[in-house]
Amino acid sequence: MIKIMRGLKYICVVALVFFIGKMLYGEASSKALIDTVEEAVVSSMDVSGMEKANNRMVKRLYGLNANDYEGVCLYISSFNMNVEEILIVKLKDKSQGKTVEAAAENRRSTQLTNFDGYGVEQCKLLNDSILDVRGNYVLFVVSADAKQAEKAFLKSL
């Protein structure tokens, strides 16, 4: 009985140290190139109705200055009445994650307001969108293929 208690004590100490380390250091930064992550995400979904946007469009739609980040990739719908888009951001510093996350949430909210009342399918895509912050990467996907995109994103990191 004493050996079991001693063993449990050591397991608890190891688990506590692991938990504290995870809290202090968070998720590890990925060394993956943004081009590699972009290719993985884009190839996992149907982007035939989308086009790659420039840095000015990132600023216009998200309020983010692409030069503040290690890399930014944005795909938007070619059609005004479609909300599909993909945003991938590689952060220079993990502290930038909250800013990008807030910008994506704001974009989703704006689009929901724009399509409220007549774009039922578009609103469903927005409500089912994926916003994932992992270490030094952020992914925001509005698409019927969002789940596949997230799987590819996670695998590419």
Side-chain angles (χ1 to χ4, degrees):
M1 184 69 165
I2 293 175
K3 287 184 179 183
I4 293 173
M5 294 298 284
R6 188 175 291 150
L8 285 174
K9 184 170 96 175
Y10 288 118
I11 290 171
C12 288
V13 169
V14 169
L16 183 62
V17 168
F18 177 77
F19 179 71
I20 290 172
K22 188 76 168 158
M23 284 179 44
L24 290 175
Y25 298 105
E27 290 188 52
S29 292
S30 174
K31 295 190 185 319
L33 300 174
I34 191 154
D35 293 338
T36 304
V37 176
E38 174 187 355
E39 174 61 30
V41 170
V42 169
S43 66
S44 73
M45 50 192 303
D46 178 14
V47 294
S48 59
M50 301 173 88
E51 56 191 35
K52 190 167 183 177
N54 61 26
N55 291 346
R56 274 188 272 167
M57 192 59 75
V58 173
K59 180 72 170 173
R60 187 173 144 237
L61 298 179
Y62 288 88
L64 300 173
N65 182 355
N67 294 324
D68 292 344
Y69 303 93
E70 193 166 321
V72 176
C73 167
L74 174 64
Y75 284 78
I76 58 174
S77 175
S78 305
F79 311 105
N80 290 337
M81 297 308 291
N82 192 336
V83 295
E84 288 188 310
E85 40 190 79
I86 305 165
L87 175 69
I88 304 169
V89 179
K90 185 172 185 182
L91 310 170
K92 284 184 180 176
D93 185 289
K94 287 183 190 178
S95 66
Q96 295 175 311
K98 295 288 184 200
T99 301
V100 176
E101 189 174 9
E105 290 285 358
N106 188 48
R107 173 72 175 154
R108 178 182 4 213
S109 177
T110 299
Q111 289 290 76
L112 278 167
T113 301
N114 291 343
F115 285 89
D116 186 37
Y118 69 91
V120 176
E121 288 183 29
Q122 302 307 311
C123 287
K124 180 171 177 9
L125 287 176
L126 288 161
N127 286 322
D128 294 342
S129 64
I130 291 178
L131 176 56
D132 196 348
V133 181
R134 297 292 171 123
N136 59 330
Y137 269 96
V138 178
L139 171 73
F140 177 57
V141 182
V142 181
S143 171
D145 299 330
K147 290 201 185 308
Q148 295 94 279
E150 183 180 35
K151 284 180 186 176
F153 170 72
L154 294 173
K155 191 174 181 180
S156 70
L157 298 180

PDB file of all heavy atoms in Angstrom, residues 97-136:
ATOM      1  N   GLY A  97      -0.972  36.987 -31.709  1.00  0.00           N
ATOM      2  CA  GLY A  97      -2.087  36.083 -31.935  1.00  0.00           C
ATOM      3  C   GLY A  97      -3.431  36.676 -31.556  1.00  0.00           C
ATOM      4  O   GLY A  97      -4.419  36.512 -32.265  1.00  0.00           O
ATOM      5  N   LYS A  98      -3.480  37.383 -30.443  1.00  0.00           N
ATOM      6  CA  LYS A  98      -4.743  37.981 -29.983  1.00  0.00           C
ATOM      7  C   LYS A  98      -5.244  39.032 -30.973  1.00  0.00           C
ATOM      8  O   LYS A  98      -6.441  39.142 -31.218  1.00  0.00           O
ATOM      9  CB  LYS A  98      -4.579  38.600 -28.590  1.00  0.00           C
ATOM     10  CG  LYS A  98      -4.291  37.598 -27.502  1.00  0.00           C
ATOM     11  CD  LYS A  98      -5.497  36.769 -27.182  1.00  0.00           C
ATOM     12  CE  LYS A  98      -5.203  35.835 -26.032  1.00  0.00           C
ATOM     13  NZ  LYS A  98      -6.108  34.715 -25.960  1.00  0.00           N
ATOM     14  N   THR A  99      -4.339  39.800 -31.544  1.00  0.00           N
ATOM     15  CA  THR A  99      -4.717  40.829 -32.515  1.00  0.00           C
ATOM     16  C   THR A  99      -5.315  40.195 -33.767  1.00  0.00           C
ATOM     17  O   THR A  99      -6.361  40.636 -34.262  1.00  0.00           O
ATOM     18  CB  THR A  99      -3.494  41.683 -32.902  1.00  0.00           C
ATOM     19  OG1 THR A  99      -2.964  42.282 -31.721  1.00  0.00           O
ATOM     20  CG2 THR A  99      -3.839  42.749 -33.909  1.00  0.00           C
ATOM     21  N   VAL A 100      -4.660  39.156 -34.272  1.00  0.00           N
ATOM     22  CA  VAL A 100      -5.144  38.485 -35.477  1.00  0.00           C
ATOM     23  C   VAL A 100      -6.467  37.772 -35.182  1.00  0.00           C
ATOM     24  O   VAL A 100      -7.403  37.825 -35.991  1.00  0.00           O
ATOM     25  CB  VAL A 100      -4.092  37.493 -36.029  1.00  0.00           C
ATOM     26  CG1 VAL A 100      -4.632  36.732 -37.222  1.00  0.00           C
ATOM     27  CG2 VAL A 100      -2.813  38.240 -36.391  1.00  0.00           C
ATOM     28  N   GLU A 101      -6.547  37.142 -34.033  1.00  0.00           N
ATOM     29  CA  GLU A 101      -7.784  36.462 -33.640  1.00  0.00           C
ATOM     30  C   GLU A 101      -8.945  37.457 -33.562  1.00  0.00           C
ATOM     31  O   GLU A 101     -10.038  37.199 -34.077  1.00  0.00           O
ATOM     32  CB  GLU A 101      -7.581  35.773 -32.291  1.00  0.00           C
ATOM     33  CG  GLU A 101      -8.692  34.862 -31.878  1.00  0.00           C
ATOM     34  CD  GLU A 101      -8.374  34.102 -30.597  1.00  0.00           C
ATOM     35  OE1 GLU A 101      -7.369  34.394 -29.913  1.00  0.00           O
ATOM     36  OE2 GLU A 101      -9.165  33.198 -30.278  1.00  0.00           O
ATOM     37  N   ALA A 102      -8.700  38.618 -32.961  1.00  0.00           N
ATOM     38  CA  ALA A 102      -9.744  39.648 -32.859  1.00  0.00           C
ATOM     39  C   ALA A 102     -10.142  40.160 -34.241  1.00  0.00           C
ATOM     40  O   ALA A 102     -11.328  40.407 -34.503  1.00  0.00           O
ATOM     41  CB  ALA A 102      -9.259  40.799 -31.981  1.00  0.00           C
ATOM     42  N   ALA A 103      -9.167  40.319 -35.135  1.00  0.00           N
ATOM     43  CA  ALA A 103      -9.460  40.782 -36.496  1.00  0.00           C
ATOM     44  C   ALA A 103     -10.330  39.770 -37.245  1.00  0.00           C
ATOM     45  O   ALA A 103     -11.265  40.152 -37.956  1.00  0.00           O
ATOM     46  CB  ALA A 103      -8.156  41.033 -37.253  1.00  0.00           C
ATOM     47  N   ALA A 104     -10.051  38.494 -37.072  1.00  0.00           N
ATOM     48  CA  ALA A 104     -10.848  37.448 -37.722  1.00  0.00           C
ATOM     49  C   ALA A 104     -12.261  37.408 -37.144  1.00  0.00           C
ATOM     50  O   ALA A 104     -13.240  37.276 -37.889  1.00  0.00           O
ATOM     51  CB  ALA A 104     -10.164  36.092 -37.579  1.00  0.00           C
ATOM     52  N   GLU A 105     -12.368  37.538 -35.834  1.00  0.00           N
ATOM     53  CA  GLU A 105     -13.695  37.569 -35.196  1.00  0.00           C
ATOM     54  C   GLU A 105     -14.496  38.773 -35.691  1.00  0.00           C
ATOM     55  O   GLU A 105     -15.695  38.667 -35.957  1.00  0.00           O
ATOM     56  CB  GLU A 105     -13.565  37.614 -33.671  1.00  0.00           C
ATOM     57  CG  GLU A 105     -13.058  36.341 -33.048  1.00  0.00           C
ATOM     58  CD  GLU A 105     -14.076  35.221 -33.002  1.00  0.00           C
ATOM     59  OE1 GLU A 105     -15.234  35.408 -33.434  1.00  0.00           O
ATOM     60  OE2 GLU A 105     -13.709  34.126 -32.545  1.00  0.00           O
ATOM     61  N   ASN A 106     -13.824  39.899 -35.814  1.00  0.00           N
ATOM     62  CA  ASN A 106     -14.476  41.111 -36.309  1.00  0.00           C
ATOM     63  C   ASN A 106     -14.933  40.937 -37.753  1.00  0.00           C
ATOM     64  O   ASN A 106     -16.036  41.343 -38.125  1.00  0.00           O
ATOM     65  CB  ASN A 106     -13.538  42.309 -36.178  1.00  0.00           C
ATOM     66  CG  ASN A 106     -14.240  43.607 -36.504  1.00  0.00           C
ATOM     67  OD1 ASN A 106     -15.334  43.876 -36.014  1.00  0.00           O
ATOM     68  ND2 ASN A 106     -13.600  44.416 -37.332  1.00  0.00           N
ATOM     69  N   ARG A 107     -14.102  40.321 -38.574  1.00  0.00           N
ATOM     70  CA  ARG A 107     -14.457  40.063 -39.971  1.00  0.00           C
ATOM     71  C   ARG A 107     -15.680  39.143 -40.046  1.00  0.00           C
ATOM     72  O   ARG A 107     -16.616  39.395 -40.802  1.00  0.00           O
ATOM     73  CB  ARG A 107     -13.262  39.443 -40.700  1.00  0.00           C
ATOM     74  CG  ARG A 107     -13.557  38.975 -42.113  1.00  0.00           C
ATOM     75  CD  ARG A 107     -13.748  40.106 -43.067  1.00  0.00           C
ATOM     76  NE  ARG A 107     -13.916  39.590 -44.419  1.00  0.00           N
ATOM     77  CZ  ARG A 107     -14.565  40.207 -45.379  1.00  0.00           C
ATOM     78  NH1 ARG A 107     -15.080  41.403 -45.161  1.00  0.00           N
ATOM     79  NH2 ARG A 107     -14.681  39.683 -46.564  1.00  0.00           N
ATOM     80  N   ARG A 108     -15.693  38.085 -39.242  1.00  0.00           N
ATOM     81  CA  ARG A 108     -16.822  37.167 -39.208  1.00  0.00           C
ATOM     82  C   ARG A 108     -18.099  37.906 -38.793  1.00  0.00           C
ATOM     83  O   ARG A 108     -19.142  37.758 -39.418  1.00  0.00           O
ATOM     84  CB  ARG A 108     -16.553  36.007 -38.251  1.00  0.00           C
ATOM     85  CG  ARG A 108     -17.725  35.057 -38.152  1.00  0.00           C
ATOM     86  CD  ARG A 108     -17.583  33.902 -37.194  1.00  0.00           C
ATOM     87  NE  ARG A 108     -16.397  33.869 -36.399  1.00  0.00           N
ATOM     88  CZ  ARG A 108     -15.783  32.761 -36.005  1.00  0.00           C
ATOM     89  NH1 ARG A 108     -16.244  31.594 -36.363  1.00  0.00           N
ATOM     90  NH2 ARG A 108     -14.725  32.811 -35.251  1.00  0.00           N
ATOM     91  N   SER A 109     -17.995  38.732 -37.769  1.00  0.00           N
ATOM     92  CA  SER A 109     -19.147  39.496 -37.271  1.00  0.00           C
ATOM     93  C   SER A 109     -19.677  40.459 -38.327  1.00  0.00           C
ATOM     94  O   SER A 109     -20.893  40.569 -38.532  1.00  0.00           O
ATOM     95  CB  SER A 109     -18.741  40.255 -36.005  1.00  0.00           C
ATOM     96  OG  SER A 109     -19.787  41.043 -35.547  1.00  0.00           O
ATOM     97  N   THR A 110     -18.780  41.152 -39.001  1.00  0.00           N
ATOM     98  CA  THR A 110     -19.171  42.081 -40.068  1.00  0.00           C
ATOM     99  C   THR A 110     -19.887  41.354 -41.189  1.00  0.00           C
ATOM    100  O   THR A 110     -20.931  41.805 -41.670  1.00  0.00           O
ATOM    101  CB  THR A 110     -17.927  42.816 -40.620  1.00  0.00           C
ATOM    102  OG1 THR A 110     -17.324  43.553 -39.566  1.00  0.00           O
ATOM    103  CG2 THR A 110     -18.281  43.744 -41.764  1.00  0.00           C
ATOM    104  N   GLN A 111     -19.345  40.218 -41.591  1.00  0.00           N
ATOM    105  CA  GLN A 111     -19.966  39.437 -42.664  1.00  0.00           C
ATOM    106  C   GLN A 111     -21.331  38.900 -42.244  1.00  0.00           C
ATOM    107  O   GLN A 111     -22.269  38.880 -43.048  1.00  0.00           O
ATOM    108  CB  GLN A 111     -19.046  38.293 -43.096  1.00  0.00           C
ATOM    109  CG  GLN A 111     -17.811  38.748 -43.867  1.00  0.00           C
ATOM    110  CD  GLN A 111     -18.165  39.252 -45.246  1.00  0.00           C
ATOM    111  OE1 GLN A 111     -18.677  40.359 -45.406  1.00  0.00           O
ATOM    112  NE2 GLN A 111     -17.894  38.439 -46.250  1.00  0.00           N
ATOM    113  N   LEU A 112     -21.458  38.469 -41.004  1.00  0.00           N
ATOM    114  CA  LEU A 112     -22.761  38.002 -40.516  1.00  0.00           C
ATOM    115  C   LEU A 112     -23.791  39.124 -40.583  1.00  0.00           C
ATOM    116  O   LEU A 112     -24.932  38.908 -40.976  1.00  0.00           O
ATOM    117  CB  LEU A 112     -22.649  37.465 -39.091  1.00  0.00           C
ATOM    118  CG  LEU A 112     -22.148  36.039 -38.960  1.00  0.00           C
ATOM    119  CD1 LEU A 112     -21.784  35.717 -37.513  1.00  0.00           C
ATOM    120  CD2 LEU A 112     -23.184  35.054 -39.481  1.00  0.00           C
ATOM    121  N   THR A 113     -23.384  40.329 -40.222  1.00  0.00           N
ATOM    122  CA  THR A 113     -24.274  41.493 -40.297  1.00  0.00           C
ATOM    123  C   THR A 113     -24.643  41.785 -41.745  1.00  0.00           C
ATOM    124  O   THR A 113     -25.805  42.043 -42.060  1.00  0.00           O
ATOM    125  CB  THR A 113     -23.611  42.733 -39.666  1.00  0.00           C
ATOM    126  OG1 THR A 113     -23.299  42.436 -38.296  1.00  0.00           O
ATOM    127  CG2 THR A 113     -24.506  43.942 -39.741  1.00  0.00           C
ATOM    128  N   ASN A 114     -23.659  41.716 -42.635  1.00  0.00           N
ATOM    129  CA  ASN A 114     -23.901  42.003 -44.051  1.00  0.00           C
ATOM    130  C   ASN A 114     -24.876  41.022 -44.697  1.00  0.00           C
ATOM    131  O   ASN A 114     -25.651  41.411 -45.570  1.00  0.00           O
ATOM    132  CB  ASN A 114     -22.580  41.977 -44.841  1.00  0.00           C
ATOM    133  CG  ASN A 114     -21.669  43.126 -44.504  1.00  0.00           C
ATOM    134  OD1 ASN A 114     -22.086  44.133 -43.931  1.00  0.00           O
ATOM    135  ND2 ASN A 114     -20.396  42.976 -44.828  1.00  0.00           N
ATOM    136  N   PHE A 115     -24.821  39.750 -44.303  1.00  0.00           N
ATOM    137  CA  PHE A 115     -25.628  38.728 -44.952  1.00  0.00           C
ATOM    138  C   PHE A 115     -26.865  38.340 -44.153  1.00  0.00           C
ATOM    139  O   PHE A 115     -27.637  37.498 -44.586  1.00  0.00           O
ATOM    140  CB  PHE A 115     -24.780  37.489 -45.246  1.00  0.00           C
ATOM    141  CG  PHE A 115     -23.848  37.693 -46.405  1.00  0.00           C
ATOM    142  CD1 PHE A 115     -22.569  38.205 -46.213  1.00  0.00           C
ATOM    143  CD2 PHE A 115     -24.254  37.396 -47.699  1.00  0.00           C
ATOM    144  CE1 PHE A 115     -21.718  38.412 -47.280  1.00  0.00           C
ATOM    145  CE2 PHE A 115     -23.412  37.601 -48.769  1.00  0.00           C
ATOM    146  CZ  PHE A 115     -22.135  38.118 -48.562  1.00  0.00           C
ATOM    147  N   ASP A 116     -27.059  38.958 -43.008  1.00  0.00           N
ATOM    148  CA  ASP A 116     -28.207  38.644 -42.156  1.00  0.00           C
ATOM    149  C   ASP A 116     -29.519  38.941 -42.885  1.00  0.00           C
ATOM    150  O   ASP A 116     -29.694  40.006 -43.467  1.00  0.00           O
ATOM    151  CB  ASP A 116     -28.140  39.459 -40.861  1.00  0.00           C
ATOM    152  CG  ASP A 116     -29.222  39.080 -39.879  1.00  0.00           C
ATOM    153  OD1 ASP A 116     -29.550  37.884 -39.786  1.00  0.00           O
ATOM    154  OD2 ASP A 116     -29.751  39.984 -39.204  1.00  0.00           O
ATOM    155  N   GLY A 117     -30.422  37.984 -42.865  1.00  0.00           N
ATOM    156  CA  GLY A 117     -31.743  38.191 -43.430  1.00  0.00           C
ATOM    157  C   GLY A 117     -31.928  37.682 -44.839  1.00  0.00           C
ATOM    158  O   GLY A 117     -33.041  37.394 -45.245  1.00  0.00           O
ATOM    159  N   TYR A 118     -30.863  37.561 -45.615  1.00  0.00           N
ATOM    160  CA  TYR A 118     -31.053  37.069 -46.985  1.00  0.00           C
ATOM    161  C   TYR A 118     -30.006  36.047 -47.422  1.00  0.00           C
ATOM    162  O   TYR A 118     -30.233  35.307 -48.369  1.00  0.00           O
ATOM    163  CB  TYR A 118     -31.094  38.227 -47.994  1.00  0.00           C
ATOM    164  CG  TYR A 118     -29.791  38.940 -48.186  1.00  0.00           C
ATOM    165  CD1 TYR A 118     -28.891  38.536 -49.163  1.00  0.00           C
ATOM    166  CD2 TYR A 118     -29.446  40.037 -47.399  1.00  0.00           C
ATOM    167  CE1 TYR A 118     -27.691  39.188 -49.351  1.00  0.00           C
ATOM    168  CE2 TYR A 118     -28.257  40.704 -47.587  1.00  0.00           C
ATOM    169  CZ  TYR A 118     -27.386  40.275 -48.555  1.00  0.00           C
ATOM    170  OH  TYR A 118     -26.209  40.939 -48.722  1.00  0.00           O
ATOM    171  N   GLY A 119     -28.915  35.970 -46.762  1.00  0.00           N
ATOM    172  CA  GLY A 119     -27.874  35.014 -47.141  1.00  0.00           C
ATOM    173  C   GLY A 119     -27.801  33.869 -46.160  1.00  0.00           C
ATOM    174  O   GLY A 119     -26.806  33.711 -45.449  1.00  0.00           O
ATOM    175  N   VAL A 120     -28.842  33.049 -46.130  1.00  0.00           N
ATOM    176  CA  VAL A 120     -28.938  31.970 -45.144  1.00  0.00           C
ATOM    177  C   VAL A 120     -27.750  31.013 -45.256  1.00  0.00           C
ATOM    178  O   VAL A 120     -27.126  30.669 -44.253  1.00  0.00           O
ATOM    179  CB  VAL A 120     -30.274  31.206 -45.302  1.00  0.00           C
ATOM    180  CG1 VAL A 120     -30.347  30.036 -44.353  1.00  0.00           C
ATOM    181  CG2 VAL A 120     -31.442  32.150 -45.088  1.00  0.00           C
ATOM    182  N   GLU A 121     -27.436  30.580 -46.466  1.00  0.00           N
ATOM    183  CA  GLU A 121     -26.317  29.652 -46.652  1.00  0.00           C
ATOM    184  C   GLU A 121     -24.986  30.307 -46.290  1.00  0.00           C
ATOM    185  O   GLU A 121     -24.103  29.666 -45.718  1.00  0.00           O
ATOM    186  CB  GLU A 121     -26.280  29.138 -48.089  1.00  0.00           C
ATOM    187  CG  GLU A 121     -27.399  28.163 -48.397  1.00  0.00           C
ATOM    188  CD  GLU A 121     -27.305  27.607 -49.807  1.00  0.00           C
ATOM    189  OE1 GLU A 121     -26.190  27.503 -50.342  1.00  0.00           O
ATOM    190  OE2 GLU A 121     -28.369  27.273 -50.360  1.00  0.00           O
ATOM    191  N   GLN A 122     -24.852  31.580 -46.622  1.00  0.00           N
ATOM    192  CA  GLN A 122     -23.625  32.302 -46.302  1.00  0.00           C
ATOM    193  C   GLN A 122     -23.460  32.452 -44.788  1.00  0.00           C
ATOM    194  O   GLN A 122     -22.360  32.296 -44.244  1.00  0.00           O
ATOM    195  CB  GLN A 122     -23.605  33.670 -47.000  1.00  0.00           C
ATOM    196  CG  GLN A 122     -23.723  33.602 -48.513  1.00  0.00           C
ATOM    197  CD  GLN A 122     -22.700  32.683 -49.156  1.00  0.00           C
ATOM    198  OE1 GLN A 122     -21.515  32.768 -48.872  1.00  0.00           O
ATOM    199  NE2 GLN A 122     -23.148  31.794 -50.019  1.00  0.00           N
ATOM    200  N   CYS A 123     -24.559  32.744 -44.100  1.00  0.00           N
ATOM    201  CA  CYS A 123     -24.520  32.867 -42.635  1.00  0.00           C
ATOM    202  C   CYS A 123     -24.163  31.532 -41.988  1.00  0.00           C
ATOM    203  O   CYS A 123     -23.437  31.495 -40.995  1.00  0.00           O
ATOM    204  CB  CYS A 123     -25.845  33.400 -42.097  1.00  0.00           C
ATOM    205  SG  CYS A 123     -26.080  35.157 -42.431  1.00  0.00           S
ATOM    206  N   LYS A 124     -24.648  30.442 -42.560  1.00  0.00           N
ATOM    207  CA  LYS A 124     -24.300  29.120 -42.027  1.00  0.00           C
ATOM    208  C   LYS A 124     -22.804  28.872 -42.170  1.00  0.00           C
ATOM    209  O   LYS A 124     -22.158  28.385 -41.234  1.00  0.00           O
ATOM    210  CB  LYS A 124     -25.093  28.017 -42.727  1.00  0.00           C
ATOM    211  CG  LYS A 124     -24.739  26.635 -42.188  1.00  0.00           C
ATOM    212  CD  LYS A 124     -25.634  25.560 -42.693  1.00  0.00           C
ATOM    213  CE  LYS A 124     -25.278  24.172 -42.233  1.00  0.00           C
ATOM    214  NZ  LYS A 124     -24.293  23.967 -41.237  1.00  0.00           N
ATOM    215  N   LEU A 125     -22.239  29.214 -43.322  1.00  0.00           N
ATOM    216  CA  LEU A 125     -20.793  29.061 -43.507  1.00  0.00           C
ATOM    217  C   LEU A 125     -20.021  29.895 -42.487  1.00  0.00           C
ATOM    218  O   LEU A 125     -19.019  29.439 -41.924  1.00  0.00           O
ATOM    219  CB  LEU A 125     -20.384  29.471 -44.928  1.00  0.00           C
ATOM    220  CG  LEU A 125     -20.747  28.530 -46.063  1.00  0.00           C
ATOM    221  CD1 LEU A 125     -20.354  29.138 -47.407  1.00  0.00           C
ATOM    222  CD2 LEU A 125     -20.102  27.168 -45.884  1.00  0.00           C
ATOM    223  N   LEU A 126     -20.479  31.111 -42.253  1.00  0.00           N
ATOM    224  CA  LEU A 126     -19.811  31.983 -41.275  1.00  0.00           C
ATOM    225  C   LEU A 126     -19.913  31.407 -39.862  1.00  0.00           C
ATOM    226  O   LEU A 126     -18.938  31.424 -39.104  1.00  0.00           O
ATOM    227  CB  LEU A 126     -20.401  33.390 -41.330  1.00  0.00           C
ATOM    228  CG  LEU A 126     -20.021  34.187 -42.571  1.00  0.00           C
ATOM    229  CD1 LEU A 126     -20.976  35.345 -42.787  1.00  0.00           C
ATOM    230  CD2 LEU A 126     -18.576  34.675 -42.461  1.00  0.00           C
ATOM    231  N   ASN A 127     -21.089  30.911 -39.523  1.00  0.00           N
ATOM    232  CA  ASN A 127     -21.272  30.329 -38.189  1.00  0.00           C
ATOM    233  C   ASN A 127     -20.472  29.048 -38.000  1.00  0.00           C
ATOM    234  O   ASN A 127     -20.090  28.719 -36.876  1.00  0.00           O
ATOM    235  CB  ASN A 127     -22.755  30.080 -37.913  1.00  0.00           C
ATOM    236  CG  ASN A 127     -23.499  31.359 -37.637  1.00  0.00           C
ATOM    237  OD1 ASN A 127     -22.995  32.273 -37.001  1.00  0.00           O
ATOM    238  ND2 ASN A 127     -24.724  31.451 -38.130  1.00  0.00           N
ATOM    239  N   ASP A 128     -20.207  28.339 -39.092  1.00  0.00           N
ATOM    240  CA  ASP A 128     -19.436  27.097 -39.029  1.00  0.00           C
ATOM    241  C   ASP A 128     -17.952  27.313 -39.330  1.00  0.00           C
ATOM    242  O   ASP A 128     -17.197  26.344 -39.444  1.00  0.00           O
ATOM    243  CB  ASP A 128     -20.003  26.075 -40.021  1.00  0.00           C
ATOM    244  CG  ASP A 128     -21.397  25.610 -39.651  1.00  0.00           C
ATOM    245  OD1 ASP A 128     -21.797  25.794 -38.480  1.00  0.00           O
ATOM    246  OD2 ASP A 128     -22.099  25.064 -40.539  1.00  0.00           O
ATOM    247  N   SER A 129     -17.544  28.562 -39.470  1.00  0.00           N
ATOM    248  CA  SER A 129     -16.157  28.863 -39.805  1.00  0.00           C
ATOM    249  C   SER A 129     -15.219  28.390 -38.693  1.00  0.00           C
ATOM    250  O   SER A 129     -15.635  28.160 -37.559  1.00  0.00           O
ATOM    251  CB  SER A 129     -15.977  30.359 -40.053  1.00  0.00           C
ATOM    252  OG  SER A 129     -16.245  31.083 -38.871  1.00  0.00           O
ATOM    253  N   ILE A 130     -13.955  28.259 -39.042  1.00  0.00           N
ATOM    254  CA  ILE A 130     -12.954  27.787 -38.087  1.00  0.00           C
ATOM    255  C   ILE A 130     -11.906  28.869 -37.889  1.00  0.00           C
ATOM    256  O   ILE A 130     -11.364  29.423 -38.846  1.00  0.00           O
ATOM    257  CB  ILE A 130     -12.302  26.489 -38.593  1.00  0.00           C
ATOM    258  CG1 ILE A 130     -13.339  25.362 -38.536  1.00  0.00           C
ATOM    259  CG2 ILE A 130     -11.067  26.147 -37.778  1.00  0.00           C
ATOM    260  CD1 ILE A 130     -12.868  24.032 -39.044  1.00  0.00           C
ATOM    261  N   LEU A 131     -11.646  29.162 -36.635  1.00  0.00           N
ATOM    262  CA  LEU A 131     -10.581  30.078 -36.231  1.00  0.00           C
ATOM    263  C   LEU A 131      -9.692  29.296 -35.279  1.00  0.00           C
ATOM    264  O   LEU A 131     -10.122  28.892 -34.203  1.00  0.00           O
ATOM    265  CB  LEU A 131     -11.159  31.321 -35.555  1.00  0.00           C
ATOM    266  CG  LEU A 131     -10.157  32.331 -34.994  1.00  0.00           C
ATOM    267  CD1 LEU A 131      -9.186  32.818 -36.074  1.00  0.00           C
ATOM    268  CD2 LEU A 131     -10.890  33.505 -34.374  1.00  0.00           C
ATOM    269  N   ASP A 132      -8.459  29.045 -35.701  1.00  0.00           N
ATOM    270  CA  ASP A 132      -7.553  28.196 -34.935  1.00  0.00           C
ATOM    271  C   ASP A 132      -6.218  28.913 -34.751  1.00  0.00           C
ATOM    272  O   ASP A 132      -5.587  29.313 -35.721  1.00  0.00           O
ATOM    273  CB  ASP A 132      -7.355  26.871 -35.675  1.00  0.00           C
ATOM    274  CG  ASP A 132      -6.760  25.780 -34.809  1.00  0.00           C
ATOM    275  OD1 ASP A 132      -6.277  26.079 -33.699  1.00  0.00           O
ATOM    276  OD2 ASP A 132      -6.783  24.618 -35.240  1.00  0.00           O
ATOM    277  N   VAL A 133      -5.813  29.090 -33.501  1.00  0.00           N
ATOM    278  CA  VAL A 133      -4.521  29.693 -33.179  1.00  0.00           C
ATOM    279  C   VAL A 133      -3.645  28.592 -32.609  1.00  0.00           C
ATOM    280  O   VAL A 133      -3.969  28.000 -31.585  1.00  0.00           O
ATOM    281  CB  VAL A 133      -4.673  30.842 -32.159  1.00  0.00           C
ATOM    282  CG1 VAL A 133      -3.320  31.471 -31.852  1.00  0.00           C
ATOM    283  CG2 VAL A 133      -5.663  31.880 -32.653  1.00  0.00           C
ATOM    284  N   ARG A 134      -2.549  28.312 -33.300  1.00  0.00           N
ATOM    285  CA  ARG A 134      -1.617  27.266 -32.873  1.00  0.00           C
ATOM    286  C   ARG A 134      -0.201  27.807 -32.867  1.00  0.00           C
ATOM    287  O   ARG A 134       0.385  28.041 -33.920  1.00  0.00           O
ATOM    288  CB  ARG A 134      -1.675  26.058 -33.812  1.00  0.00           C
ATOM    289  CG  ARG A 134      -2.998  25.371 -33.850  1.00  0.00           C
ATOM    290  CD  ARG A 134      -3.275  24.686 -32.506  1.00  0.00           C
ATOM    291  NE  ARG A 134      -4.630  24.208 -32.455  1.00  0.00           N
ATOM    292  CZ  ARG A 134      -4.953  22.947 -32.235  1.00  0.00           C
ATOM    293  NH1 ARG A 134      -4.028  22.047 -32.040  1.00  0.00           N
ATOM    294  NH2 ARG A 134      -6.222  22.601 -32.192  1.00  0.00           N
ATOM    295  N   GLY A 135       0.323  28.040 -31.691  1.00  0.00           N
ATOM    296  CA  GLY A 135       1.686  28.541 -31.582  1.00  0.00           C
ATOM    297  C   GLY A 135       1.830  29.860 -32.315  1.00  0.00           C
ATOM    298  O   GLY A 135       1.198  30.851 -31.955  1.00  0.00           O
ATOM    299  N   ASN A 136       2.636  29.883 -33.351  1.00  0.00           N
ATOM    300  CA  ASN A 136       2.894  31.115 -34.106  1.00  0.00           C
ATOM    301  C   ASN A 136       2.097  31.177 -35.414  1.00  0.00           C
ATOM    302  O   ASN A 136       2.427  31.967 -36.301  1.00  0.00           O
ATOM    303  CB  ASN A 136       4.392  31.245 -34.401  1.00  0.00           C
ATOM    304  CG  ASN A 136       4.941  30.073 -35.196  1.00  0.00           C
ATOM    305  OD1 ASN A 136       4.457  28.951 -35.091  1.00  0.00           O
ATOM    306  ND2 ASN A 136       5.976  30.325 -35.970  1.00  0.00           N
TER     307      ASN A 136
END
